[in-house]
Amino acid sequence: MYTSERRNKILSILQETGSVSVNELTEVFNVSKATIRSDLNYLDMNNMLVRTHGGAVCTKEDEVIKVDKNYDIRKQKNIEKKAEIAKIAFQLIKTGECIILDASSTCYELAKLISQSDLRITVLTNGLRTASLLKENLNLTVILIGGVVKGTSNAVEGVLGIEILRKVNIDTLFTSSYAISTTGGLSDFNLYEVELKKRMVEFASQTIALVDSSKFEKKSIATFAALDQLTALITDSQLAREVREQYSSEVNFLK
C-alpha cells in the first residue's frame, strides 16, 4: 500500500471513529509504529487531524464540514444555490476556450447549462457523470481525465491522468470544494482528488471557485487551493454580508 493511500484510509477511519491509536493502526495496516507515527505527524502538520499522546483525534467538530461521500445524495443538497452559481459561471465561458470542470455537484450544474448551449469548447473533467452528460452535445470536445474510480463517487481520482493537463492550454478551471475558510482556503476530504485538483490549479490560466454559502467558514481534511490562488469566487445570494466582507479582502467575488 502506498503512503498516500494509507494516510487517506487513516483519515477515513478517523472520520468514522473520532479517534485512533498508534497500536490500533499498526494492527490494521501491518506496519511499524514508527511508520504510523510518521503518518500521524504528517497529517497533524497539515491540519488534517490533531495529534495526541499515543494516537490522534479529529480536528474540532465546529470547524470541519461533515462528509457525505455519496454523490447522488450530495448533488441534491442546496440545489437552488448551485443552480444560481452555475448561471453566473456560464456567462464567463466563450466559444473556442478550453476549460476544466471538476467532479463536484456544483460543476455538474454548470455542465447542464453547457450541454444545452451552442458553445464550441473543449472540456476536461474528472467527473464521470459530467463527461457522460456533455458528450451528447456534438459541439463539445470532452476529455475525461483518467484515474481510479471507486464506490458511489462521481470522481475519477488520483494523478494518473495529469499528463493530459500538460498537453493542452487550459483557459479556466471551474472548481468547487467541501469547505472554504480564510485560513484553509478551498479544502476537500479525499486526498487523491485533492492532489489532482492541485495540479488543475497549477496548469489552468485562471481558477474560478464555485462555492455555495453553506460551505463558508468551515474546513475539510486537505487544502487544494489558497484564496490567493483564485482568480475569482462565485457564491449564491444567501451568503451573509459580514462573511462576504470578511472574504472580500482575500478574493474577488463575482456576482
Side-chain angles (χ1 to χ4, degrees), residues 54-162:
V57 297
C58 284
T59 51
K60 295 179 181 177
E61 285 192 14
D62 59 348
E63 293 181 346
V64 179
I65 190 167
K66 296 300 183 181
V67 174
D68 193 335
K69 296 183 180 180
N70 190 307
Y71 179 80
D72 289 322
I73 294 174
R74 287 191 286 113
K75 75 184 181 71
Q76 297 303 320
K77 292 182 177 179
N78 301 309
I79 188 69
E80 296 84 4
K81 295 178 180 179
K82 295 172 183 177
E84 179 186 346
I85 292 168
K87 288 179 182 178
I88 299 171
F90 178 73
Q91 300 302 317
L92 303 175
I93 305 171
K94 299 179 178 62
T95 285
E97 291 186 330
C98 176
I99 68 171
I100 301 179
L101 300 180
D102 72 12
S104 66
S105 54
T106 306
C107 282
Y108 185 77
E109 290 300 311
L110 177 54
K112 287 181 183 178
L113 299 178
I114 295 172
S115 70
Q116 298 163 6
S117 74
D118 295 325
L119 287 170
R120 293 180 177 273
I121 61 174
T122 298
V123 182
L124 286 78
T125 184
N126 67 316
L128 296 172
R129 300 195 186 185
T130 299
S132 180
L133 172 67
L134 293 177
K135 72 179 177 63
E136 300 301 326
N137 185 329
L138 299 182
N139 290 327
L140 304 173
T141 299
V142 182
I143 302 173
L144 182 63
I145 300 171
V148 179
V149 180
K150 293 194 293 188
T152 56
S153 173
N154 172 56
V156 178
E157 302 172 357
V159 293
L160 295 176
I162 63 165

Side-chain angles (χ1 to χ4, degrees), residues 3-23:
T3 300
S4 59
E5 183 179 359
R6 186 177 61 251
R7 289 172 178 173
N8 200 43
K9 287 184 177 293
I10 289 173
L11 292 172
S12 295
I13 294 171
L14 197 55
Q15 284 287 328
E16 295 177 3
T17 63
S19 64
V20 292
S21 72
V22 171
N23 290 337

Side-chain angles (χ1 to χ4, degrees), residues 191-249:
L191 290 182
Y192 296 116
E193 197 170 357
V194 163
E195 286 304 311
L196 178 58
K197 286 187 176 185
K198 285 180 180 178
R199 302 300 181 89
M200 291 178 176
V201 172
E202 176 186 346
F203 287 107
S205 295
Q206 62 175 353
T207 298
I208 298 178
L210 314 180
V211 185
D212 74 64
S213 55
S214 69
K215 298 175 179 179
F216 279 74
E217 288 302 274
K218 296 176 181 177
K219 293 179 183 178
S220 192
I221 291 171
T223 295
F224 64 88
L227 295 186
D228 61 10
Q229 292 180 281
L230 304 180
T231 306
L233 172 63
I234 302 175
T235 189
D236 58 84
S237 55
Q238 295 186 38
L239 183 67
R241 182 174 14 173
E242 59 270 21
V243 177
R244 180 183 287 266
E245 290 175 352
Q246 177 184 350
Y247 282 77
S248 292
S249 62

